[in-house]
Structures are given as structure tokens and as C-alpha cells.
Amino acid sequence: MTTALEETINRRQHNPLTWMISRQTFWVFVAVLAAGMFLSLTTDTFLTQQNLFNITRNFTFVAIIALGQTLVIITGGIDLSVGSVLALVSMVLGVTMQAGNGIAIGILAALAVALLIGLFEGVLIAYLGMPPFVVTLGMLSIARSLAMVVSNNTVVFQFGPDQAKLLALGGGSMFGVSNPVIYTVILALITGFTLRWTGFGRHIFAIGGNEAAAILTGVRVRQIKVAVYMISALSAGVAGIIETGWLGAVTTNIGTGMELQVIAAAVIGGANLMGGAGTAFGALIGAALEEVIRNSLGLLGINSYWQGTFIGVAILLAILFDRIRAFRLSE
């Protein structure tokens, strides 16, 4: 709530251009554009239709989960389980369809599993007072193990009678734009609208800004915390379904390490790990910067092992920017 109040005051005291320049998301967006311009001048392949198609498609899986993760981070929490939840959901989808069920049943079963995981995590955190780090770290291990149990640790690549529909869902395109990009834009618009224009969104910010004050003002803190963890797990489930359709196969190591990429995308995009700040657009831009970094290393012939270094530096710069901004606001 305190952070939201500071944002409102900052907007009213500065003109729109000054306010925009003061935003971390704006500078990350500039960094993405600058990187794109640099790569277009130094390589012959960055601006090709196929490379741009790949970049926009590849960043979507992290971006979709980062949207849900941003809501959790705004409340002051963290969800380390998203990569494993993606693996479990993908495997449930694959095994269900492999057994001869249609795509609708497979998707419903997969999303139900995601929601149950989010509900379980949310109850432990909101009602039993367990630390989000511990709960979601435990679920990271549990969900990955369950994915192995469900599939007997085998690769699933036969999806029954509706296999073509699943592959089209994740691997198809419309008007030259891949389906995952279309889904990501729709989900980002829904998330942005929820955070900006609904009471639920305002309550999320209130919890992250000052949970004690939110309780005193009548905000249903526990219920909202459960809801955001369910949304986070659901976003991982949606990404898992789409990625399964794109890959055309599911292995138990899918999504390994993805939680770090997702958290990095949210933080780079302006989400504050202390709570109270974050945007849907920031999650998309953070994920886009990560993908541009990954893509640029390949195009420039730089060892891919450097990817973690560049992303780590971006995280540190993002946090430094936030600290500087907070210091200026306190003056």
C-alpha cells in the first residue's frame, strides 16, 4: 500500500514523460530495443523472419509464467515450484491423452492438477504461516518427483486421437504470428487489467505494500494469497500445455531451472522482491530481454555458458535501479 501511494504521488508530481523515464520497465524496454538494433547491425540473421518468429515464440513460455509469478511477488511472496509444476502438468496432459482421452479432458486434468498444487501451497502459506520459500521449494521437489511417477520416467510423444490438435495448439500460427505469442498477449492484457482496474488487483498491491495495514482495512489477505498462488500454478500449467504442443513430446526434465528464469524476468521487469511493485508489461519485457540475450549469444558466436552471467548482471542492475529510485523518493 505504501509503494502504491508513492507511485500515485510520483505520478501527480511529475509530467507523464518524466514519470515514464523514472520507471525501470521503460529502461528495460529501451535495453531490448538497443540490443535489437545492435544485433541487426552486427549480424545478418537477427532481423530475418524466421529468427524473429523464434524469438517471439521462445520467450512466451517464461513470460506466461512470469505473469503469475509477478502477482505472487507483488504480495511479498515467491514461487520456486513453477518449473516442476510445468513438468507435472505437461506429463499429466501427455499421459491422459496417450491413454486415448481427447484434448479437452487432457487439458482439464492438467489444469486441475495445477490449481490443486496452487491451492495446497496457498493454504500452507496463508493459513499455516509457513514461509513461501520453504513451501514452494518443497513443492519443486514433490512435483518433479510426481512427474516421474506419473510417466514412469519415460518420454511421452504419442498423444492419442487428438494429437494433431495439441500440436496445432502449441506449434501453429496465425497471420505469421505463432499461437503462443497470441496467448501471451491475451493473458498479459487480462493480468494488466486485473492489476490496474480491479479491487482484487488493488488488494494484491496493498498486501505487498503493508500487510498489517491491509488486514486492518478489511482486505481478505489469506484468501487473496491463496488465489495468487493458484494463479501462479495455473500460469505454469498453461505454459506447460502450450510448450507440450510446441515440442510434440514431454520429458521429466522439462522446465528444469525455469523458476530462476521466471523470477529473473519478473524482477528485471520491475517487480520488487520485497513486495508492492510489479506490472504485467514488465514481466513480458523482462522475459523478452532474457530471450534476446540468449539469442544474441548464438548469433555472435559467444559461448552459451555466458547466458547466466548476462542475466545475473541484468538482475543486479534492476535491483540497483530500484534502490536508487527508492532513495530519491525518500529524499
Side-chain angles (χ1 to χ4, degrees):
M1 186 175 293
T2 302
T3 304
L5 180 60
E6 290 175 349
E7 293 293 333
T8 303
I9 295 173
N10 195 27
R11 282 194 186 190
R12 292 181 177 178
Q13 289 181 340
H14 300 85
N15 62 57
L17 179 60
T18 304
W19 178 84
M20 182 176 67
I21 293 176
S22 70
R23 310 309 303 146
Q24 178 176 315
T25 306
F26 170 78
W27 290 108
V28 177
F29 180 67
V30 170
V32 172
L33 294 180
M37 292 178 62
F38 173 78
L39 291 169
S40 65
L41 294 173
T42 55
T43 69
D44 298 327
T45 53
F46 179 77
L47 284 180
T48 61
Q49 182 178 356
Q50 185 60 49
N51 189 59
L52 293 178
F53 183 89
N54 290 338
I55 289 176
T56 54
R57 178 196 59 202
N58 293 345
F59 100 102
T60 58
F61 308 115
V62 170
I64 289 173
I65 307 177
L67 291 171
Q69 183 78 235
T70 296
L71 269 62
V72 172
I73 292 177
I74 291 174
T75 64
I78 196 78
D79 189 352
L80 299 174
S81 67
V82 289
S84 297
V85 172
L86 180 145
L88 176 57
V89 167
S90 299
M91 197 58 74
V92 169
L93 171 68
V95 171
T96 302
M97 292 185 65
Q98 187 182 54
N101 296 293
I103 188 172
I105 295 177
I107 290 176
L108 287 175
L111 294 182
V113 169
L115 289 172
L116 284 174
I117 291 174
L119 175 63
F120 180 71
E121 291 178 327
V123 168
L124 292 181
I125 293 167
Y127 287 90
L128 298 185
M130 296 179 66
F133 182 91
V134 174
V135 171
T136 58
L137 181 62
M139 185 54 67
L140 178 152
S141 179
I142 293 170
R144 183 73 60 179
S145 175
L146 290 177
M148 296 178 182
V149 171
V150 167
S151 65
N152 198 26
N153 202 26
T154 59
V155 178
V156 177
F157 58 91
Q158 296 292 337
F159 299 104
D162 283 350
Q163 177 163 325
K165 294 180 181 179
L166 178 63
L167 299 183
L169 179 72
S173 63
M174 294 179 61
F175 309 109
V177 179
S178 66
N179 286 346
V181 174
I182 297 172
Y183 307 146
T184 302
V185 171
I186 293 173
L187 292 172
L189 290 174
I190 294 173
T191 304
F193 178 84
T194 300
L195 288 174
R196 181 69 179 85
W197 299 105
T198 69
F200 177 70
R202 290 190 292 272
H203 290 167
I204 290 175
F205 281 105
I207 292 171
N210 190 324
E211 183 173 330
I215 293 174
L216 292 175
T217 55
V219 175
R220 297 180 177 179
V221 173
R222 289 177 173 177
Q223 292 92 326
I224 291 175
K225 280 189 175 183
V226 172
V228 296
Y229 281 95
M230 292 180 70
I231 292 172
S232 179
L234 182 64
S235 68
V238 170
I241 292 169
I242 298 170
E243 188 167 5
T244 300
W246 170 55
L247 293 174
V250 187
T251 64
T252 52
N253 64 354
I254 187 175
T256 301
M258 204 171 191
E259 57 279 346
L260 300 180
Q261 299 177 48
V262 169
I263 294 171
V267 172
I268 291 172
N272 189 332
L273 288 173
M274 300 300 293
T279 64
F281 181 66
L284 296 190
I285 293 301
L289 180 61
E290 288 185 347
E291 180 57 28
V292 169
I293 289 174
R294 188 202 64 78
N295 185 261
S296 66
L297 295 182
L299 296 180
L300 297 174
I302 301 174
N303 193 313
S304 61
Y305 294 156
W306 283 99
Q307 178 179 343
T309 299
F310 284 106
I311 293 176
V313 169
I315 294 173
L316 293 176
L317 289 175
I319 295 175
L320 178 62
F321 182 93
D322 182 71
R323 291 298 88 202
I324 293 173
R325 187 176 66 86
F327 177 76
R328 292 181 61 186
L329 287 174
S330 64
E331 290 182 333

